[in-house]
Amino acid sequence: MTEDFDANAYVDMMATVMGIEIDPAWRPTVVANMINTQKIAAHLLDFPLDVHVEPAFRFEA
Protein backbone atom coordinates (compact mmCIF):
# COMPACT_ATOMS: atom_id res chain seq x y z
CA MET A 1 0.00 0.00 0.00
CA THR A 2 1.31 3.38 -0.89
CA GLU A 3 0.64 7.00 -0.02
CA ASP A 4 -1.98 7.15 -2.79
CA PHE A 5 -4.00 4.37 -1.11
CA ASP A 6 -7.71 5.04 -1.63
CA ALA A 7 -9.44 3.48 1.38
CA ASN A 8 -12.93 4.16 0.00
CA ALA A 9 -12.18 2.40 -3.27
CA TYR A 10 -10.49 -0.48 -1.43
CA VAL A 11 -13.51 -0.97 0.84
CA ASP A 12 -15.83 -0.96 -2.18
CA MET A 13 -13.65 -3.46 -4.05
CA MET A 14 -13.26 -5.84 -1.11
CA ALA A 15 -16.98 -5.74 -0.29
CA THR A 16 -17.65 -6.79 -3.88
CA VAL A 17 -14.97 -9.50 -3.83
CA MET A 18 -16.23 -10.87 -0.52
CA GLY A 19 -19.87 -10.60 -1.56
CA ILE A 20 -20.90 -8.55 1.46
CA GLU A 21 -22.89 -5.37 1.87
CA ILE A 22 -21.61 -2.74 4.27
CA ASP A 23 -24.32 -0.91 6.17
CA PRO A 24 -24.02 2.80 5.29
CA ALA A 25 -24.03 3.64 9.00
CA TRP A 26 -20.86 1.52 9.48
CA ARG A 27 -19.06 2.56 6.30
CA PRO A 28 -17.14 5.54 7.83
CA THR A 29 -15.86 3.26 10.59
CA VAL A 30 -14.82 0.55 8.13
CA VAL A 31 -12.97 3.13 5.99
CA ALA A 32 -11.29 4.63 9.09
CA ASN A 33 -10.08 1.16 10.10
CA MET A 34 -8.68 0.59 6.59
CA ILE A 35 -6.78 3.88 6.81
CA ASN A 36 -5.33 2.90 10.20
CA THR A 37 -4.44 -0.57 8.91
CA GLN A 38 -2.63 1.00 5.94
CA LYS A 39 -0.61 3.23 8.28
CA ILE A 40 0.41 0.27 10.43
CA ALA A 41 1.31 -1.79 7.35
CA ALA A 42 3.43 1.06 5.99
CA HIS A 43 5.56 1.05 9.16
CA LEU A 44 6.05 -2.70 8.94
CA LEU A 45 6.86 -2.68 5.23
CA ASP A 46 9.38 0.16 5.69
CA PHE A 47 11.33 -1.76 8.34
CA PRO A 48 14.72 -2.71 6.87
CA LEU A 49 15.68 -6.36 7.00
CA ASP A 50 19.11 -7.81 6.42
CA VAL A 51 19.27 -9.88 3.23
CA HIS A 52 20.33 -12.85 5.35
CA VAL A 53 17.21 -12.85 7.51
CA GLU A 54 15.11 -15.94 6.87
CA PRO A 55 11.53 -16.51 7.97
CA ALA A 56 11.03 -18.81 10.91
CA PHE A 57 9.91 -22.34 10.13
CA ARG A 58 7.17 -21.98 12.76
CA PHE A 59 6.28 -19.56 15.49
CA GLU A 60 6.67 -20.53 19.13
CA ALA A 61 5.73 -18.10 21.87
Side-chain angles (χ1 to χ4, degrees):
M1 292 185 219
T2 63
E3 292 176 10
D4 60 334
F5 174 68
D6 184 349
N8 284 298
Y10 187 78
V11 168
D12 290 340
M13 178 191 65
M14 291 309 296
T16 300
V17 168
M18 296 171 65
I20 61 173
E21 186 176 324
I22 299 173
D23 185 323
W26 284 99
R27 183 172 172 73
T29 303
V30 173
V31 171
N33 276 297
M34 263 308 115
I35 292 168
N36 288 331
T37 300
Q38 186 272 334
K39 290 177 183 177
I40 293 167
H43 287 293
L44 294 173
L45 292 172
D46 288 343
F47 187 81
L49 291 176
D50 186 15
V51 295
H52 295 79
V53 174
E54 296 182 16
F57 178 69
R58 68 179 177 177
F59 175 78
E60 291 185 26

